[in-house]
């Protein structure tokens, strides 16, 4: 049998008593908190959702109880950063813009949830597509809107017909450098064209694209989107919304083939050896 002096046993007990609280302190979990001005976003590792507060008071934008993620923008309102957030569930509003007005946070919907594809949208939230060459401008083509992240301004344009939804006859594909005009890609029975619309004074430019545009350019993009979504469904992982993939491919194609050019009639688009021009009867 081994014997130890009493003073050594007492020292060992004291050391053990000091180690246990220290180990417990190292393993204790503290939720991650991110502060954006007077907004605080808190995330718990055991929860897929975040909580949002403003000036130490809980904030549920538009009554949404399930906030998935919050992203700050460069734009500010009343000295407070504007936020882009995605909310889900039956109280969710989809993708929203949050800004302070008269000392209170207010939200505006940007890309509402589609109830018939809610689960798919929740898996792949809509954060907007950075415009090629102008990444501060986020395009929301399904919703016919754009967001200038530098100013926080939500943009839409005065174009005839439907511009929202998966199969809209006209899709927003670009915003002019001054933010006053938007270019829409039109596709009716494989007849493809471009409309340049103003903020509040109708159509400022039109362009009919070559007859083979759909077969040569857009049909392959649609087929690639379907193949990518089909592979994701088969693998049970990845992006499965073929319409959304197609829209993003078309946005990239437009950015590669077309650019804005300023002339006497204001901003117009040019590409494929062609340029848009004011419609007949509406000269600058």
């Amino acid at each position: 049998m081994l014997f130890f002096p009493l003073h050594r046993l007492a020292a060992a007990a004291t050391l053990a008593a000091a180690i246990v609280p220290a180990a417990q302190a190292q393993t204790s979990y503290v939720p991650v908190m991110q502060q954006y001005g007077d907004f605080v976003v808190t995330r718990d590792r055991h929860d897929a959702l975040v909580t949002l507060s403003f000036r130490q008071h809980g904030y549920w934008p538009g009554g949404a109880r399930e906030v998935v993620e919050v992203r700050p923008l460069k734009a500010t309102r009343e000295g407070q950063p504007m936020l882009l957030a995605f909310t889900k569930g039956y109280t969710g509003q989809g993708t929203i813009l949050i800004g302070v007005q008269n000392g209170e946070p207010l939200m505006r919907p940007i890309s509402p949830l589609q109830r018939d594809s809610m689960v798919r949208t929740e898996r792949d939230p809509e954060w907007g597509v950075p415009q090629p060459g102008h990444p501060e401008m986020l395009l929301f083509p399904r919703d016919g809107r754009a967001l200038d992240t530098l100013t926080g301004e939500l943009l839409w344009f005065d174009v005839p017909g439907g511009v929202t939804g998966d199969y809209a006859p006209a899709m927003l594909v670009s915003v002019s450098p001054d933010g006053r005009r938007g270019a829409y890609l039109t596709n009716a029975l494989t007849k493809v064209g471009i409309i340049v619309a103003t903020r509040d004074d109708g159509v400022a430019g039109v362009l009919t694209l070559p007859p083979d545009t759909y077969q040569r350019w857009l049909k392959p993009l649609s087929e690639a989107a379907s193949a990518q979504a089909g592979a994701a469904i088969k693998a049970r992982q990845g992006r499965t919304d073929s319409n959304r993939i197609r829209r993003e491919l078309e946005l990239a194609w437009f950015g590669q083939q077309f650019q804005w050019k300023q002339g006497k009639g204001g901003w117009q688009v040019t590409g494929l050896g062609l340029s848009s021009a004011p419609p007949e009867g509406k000269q600058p």
Side-chain angles (χ1 to χ4, degrees), residues 35-89:
Q35 186 161 358
Y36 308 115
D38 291 337
F39 289 98
V40 175
V41 180
T42 304
R43 180 181 295 276
D44 191 300
R45 67 179 175 183
H46 302 297
D47 194 343
L49 305 176
V50 301
T51 58
L52 182 61
S53 64
F54 179 70
R55 294 175 180 166
Q56 301 182 345
H57 294 282
Y59 174 55
W60 294 271
R65 311 300 293 189
E66 298 179 74
V67 182
V68 178
E69 188 176 346
V70 177
R71 298 180 179 183
L73 303 178
K74 291 183 179 180
T76 62
R77 288 290 184 275
E78 297 185 7
Q80 298 297 321
M82 299 188 74
L83 306 175
L84 198 61
F86 181 75
T87 62
K88 70 172 189 174

Side-chain angles (χ1 to χ4, degrees), residues 208-282:
T208 300
L209 296 180
D212 66 344
T213 299
Y214 178 78
Q215 290 291 335
R216 182 182 179 186
W217 300 104
L218 301 187
K219 185 178 179 181
L221 297 181
S222 179
E223 291 173 344
S226 295
Q228 183 178 331
I233 293 173
K234 186 176 181 180
R236 296 186 177 182
Q237 62 178 1
R239 307 180 71 194
T240 62
D241 189 338
S242 62
N243 286 315
R244 185 168 168 190
I245 297 171
R246 170 186 55 79
R247 287 193 295 268
E248 293 178 4
L249 291 176
E250 290 177 353
L251 288 177
W253 170 79
F254 187 91
Q256 293 169 355
Q257 301 294 334
F258 294 88
Q259 53 275 335
W260 288 95
K261 184 177 181 179
Q262 191 170 28
K264 293 181 179 179
W267 290 98
Q268 298 285 354
V269 295
T270 179
L272 300 179
L274 303 168
S275 295
S276 62
E280 186 175 351
K282 191 175 184 178

Side-chain angles (χ1 to χ4, degrees), residues 111-278:
S111 183
L113 284 175
Q114 300 296 304
R115 298 302 172 184
D116 57 347
S117 59
M118 184 186 297
V119 174
R120 185 171 56 192
T121 306
E122 290 177 354
R123 285 200 303 261
D124 187 16
E126 176 62 83
W127 293 107
V129 182
Q131 179 171 311
H134 187 13
E136 296 82 8
M137 186 69 69
L138 295 181
L139 303 174
F140 294 82
R142 188 201 69 181
D143 306 284
R145 301 173 183 174
L147 174 65
D148 187 335
T149 61
L150 296 180
T151 66
E153 188 176 11
L154 195 57
L155 308 174
W156 58 90
F157 302 90
D158 185 13
V159 61
V163 296
T164 62
D166 286 332
Y167 305 101
M171 182 181 78
L172 179 64
V173 289
S174 186
V175 176
S176 63
D178 64 354
R180 302 303 303 171
R181 294 185 177 184
Y184 288 79
L185 185 67
T186 63
N187 186 359
L189 299 176
T190 72
K191 185 178 180 181
V192 183
I194 294 172
I195 293 176
V196 176
T198 64
R199 295 289 300 276
D200 51 16
D201 192 28
V203 175
V206 293
L207 172 60
T208 300
L209 296 180
D212 66 344
T213 299
Y214 178 78
Q215 290 291 335
R216 182 182 179 186
W217 300 104
L218 301 187
K219 185 178 179 181
L221 297 181
S222 179
E223 291 173 344
S226 295
Q228 183 178 331
I233 293 173
K234 186 176 181 180
R236 296 186 177 182
Q237 62 178 1
R239 307 180 71 194
T240 62
D241 189 338
S242 62
N243 286 315
R244 185 168 168 190
I245 297 171
R246 170 186 55 79
R247 287 193 295 268
E248 293 178 4
L249 291 176
E250 290 177 353
L251 288 177
W253 170 79
F254 187 91
Q256 293 169 355
Q257 301 294 334
F258 294 88
Q259 53 275 335
W260 288 95
K261 184 177 181 179
Q262 191 170 28
K264 293 181 179 179
W267 290 98
Q268 298 285 354
V269 295
T270 179
L272 300 179
L274 303 168
S275 295
S276 62

